[in-house]
Amino acid sequence: MRRRWQAAVDGAATASLVVAGAALVGLAVVQAWQVFARYLLNASPSWTEPVALLLMSTIMMFGAAVGVHREAHFGFFLLIETASPRVRRALRVYTRLVA
């Protein structure tokens, strides 16, 4: 049962990474269109800024989720590594509960 759960969570993390990557590509396309339209066509589209903000929020949310899943997020690792084994275990349990 645990293996299936871990496989499902890993699959969700991979899907999140794909969504974040697609949003990043979309953001680059939207920003390129904004620059092209503003400087070459002399007509700045009004929809590019809200779409860029939406895509950036999507990148941050899904990217942060993958970072937490892979334990590659911001943390106070120096505190954990210098603590006694008992405190270290308690801090890791707390981290798992919070994240």
Side-chain angles (χ1 to χ4, degrees):
M1 180 68 176
R2 183 173 170 90
R3 250 188 220 155
R4 276 194 270 175
W5 173 255
Q6 190 61 41
V9 171
D10 289 342
T14 301
S16 295
L17 192 59
V18 168
V19 169
L24 185 61
V25 170
L27 179 66
V29 169
V30 167
Q31 290 300 96
W33 176 253
Q34 171 67 22
V35 170
F36 176 78
R38 177 180 287 170
Y39 294 111
L40 295 178
L41 302 178
N42 223 12
S44 183
S46 62
W47 58 269
T48 55
E49 185 179 352
V51 171
L53 288 173
L54 177 68
L55 290 171
M56 191 168 19
S57 297
T58 303
I59 294 164
M60 288 187 301
M61 286 187 303
F62 284 99
V66 173
V68 169
H69 173 70
R70 293 184 178 176
E71 295 182 358
H73 55 86
F74 175 76
F76 295 103
F77 301 110
L78 184 61
L79 175 67
I80 292 174
E81 295 303 320
T82 58
S84 68
R86 186 182 208 179
V87 173
R88 184 180 307 155
R89 187 171 30 251
L91 288 172
R92 289 195 179 165
V93 167
Y94 177 72
T95 301
R96 295 274 186 207
L97 291 174
V98 172

